[in-house]
Amino acid sequence: MHPAPSALRRAVAAATIALLATAVGCAPQPDDKASGGSSSSAGTTCAKGKLATKTSGKLTIATDEPAYEPWFKDDKPANGEGFESAVAYAVAKQLGYDKSAVVWQRVPFNKAFAPGVKTFDFDINQVSISTERKKAVDFSSGYYDVRQAVIALKGGKAAKATSIADLKGLKLGAQVGTTSLNYISDVVKPSQEAAAYSKNDQAVSALRNGQVDAIVTDLPTAFYVTAAQVTNAKIVGQFENQGGTPEQFGLVLDKGSDLTSCVTSAVDALRKDGTLAKLDKQWLSDAVDAPVLK
């Protein structure tokens, strides 16, 4: 026996409502947080010393090996000396982790911001924040505003350069995967291909040995290179920021990490209370000026 048309319509409507209710219950619900933001339990998400870290009760921080000065001292990130080591511990303290609760890892520079799950809670290694890198990882807010600089041997071809045009016919080098290398290809646009090195020390050695006319690094590193590593070298000049926005170093986290908003808040607090400026003055005070190449 077939149901009457009206009864059939009522049955179909009831079934449809039931199906919709089931679908809503099973469908992905709107996320209360942006990538790396705080969840709805924001009051406890950033509870000091109780974050959802890789190891409960510990904060795992990564950097490259070797860890260069003036960012670190004596290649020992755990000693708290050097700008980035000091910043790392300041962020840890802000998050509720004392020095004994910090665990250091060594992670190659390029691997830190490559796609994939990370073994650290955050990485600190002069990694510039960029739109391209944000596709693979999260960043905190910037903890240091940086410019790129050109280093050349005194008396060499590049030593007298006063403009970007003066660099175009030279052999330039930088560490692979860095904004330093990007400045060579995108800003200088030299007539010969730039030399790319897996480590900055290799770029420095190439400069020392005359294999390149000049290398590009961030400005504080350039001051260290000329003061301690290649004393017969000089800083030729620094580049202007591109696009009117300062280049900034940020802490690197897993893409979509629940820690991102907490770490960003910690960095923001350190900037607001003057801690970052104090550490800048303490560890990077020599890296204050160089001619601007236009």
Side-chain angles (χ1 to χ4, degrees), residues 50-185:
K50 296 181 180 180
L51 304 182
T53 54
K54 298 292 183 182
T55 301
S56 181
K58 300 287 185 180
L59 187 66
T60 303
I61 304 176
T63 196
D64 201 356
E65 188 173 26
Y68 301 109
E69 298 192 26
W71 311 105
F72 298 89
K73 192 168 178 62
D74 300 325
D75 191 24
K76 296 177 180 178
N79 64 14
E81 298 185 54
F83 179 74
E84 289 193 327
S85 180
V87 168
Y89 281 116
V91 171
K93 184 179 180 181
Q94 195 73 25
L95 294 172
Y97 296 88
D98 61 26
K99 197 169 183 178
S100 65
V102 173
V103 178
W104 284 92
Q105 274 187 6
R106 296 301 190 119
V107 174
F109 178 80
N110 287 332
K111 189 175 180 180
F113 51 86
V117 177
K118 307 306 175 191
T119 56
F120 51 77
D121 293 311
F122 69 75
D123 177 276
I124 183 167
N125 189 28
Q126 306 113 67
V127 182
S128 295
I129 301 168
S130 73
T131 302
E132 186 63 28
R133 289 173 179 171
K134 282 183 178 180
K135 295 176 183 177
V137 294
D138 278 3
F139 282 95
S140 70
S141 52
Y143 62 87
Y144 182 71
D145 296 355
V146 65
R147 284 194 177 191
Q148 300 298 317
V150 178
I151 311 168
L153 294 179
K154 295 174 182 177
K157 291 181 181 179
K160 295 182 179 180
T162 58
S163 68
I164 292 172
D166 293 337
L167 301 172
K168 288 186 180 295
L170 304 178
K171 183 68 175 178
L172 307 176
Q175 184 177 350
V176 69
T178 61
T179 50
S180 302
L181 190 59
N182 291 343
Y183 265 75
I184 295 175
S185 59

Side-chain angles (χ1 to χ4, degrees), residues 33-50:
K33 60 184 179 180
S35 176
S38 300
S39 67
S40 55
S41 56
T44 58
T45 300
C46 295
K48 288 187 177 296
K50 296 181 180 180

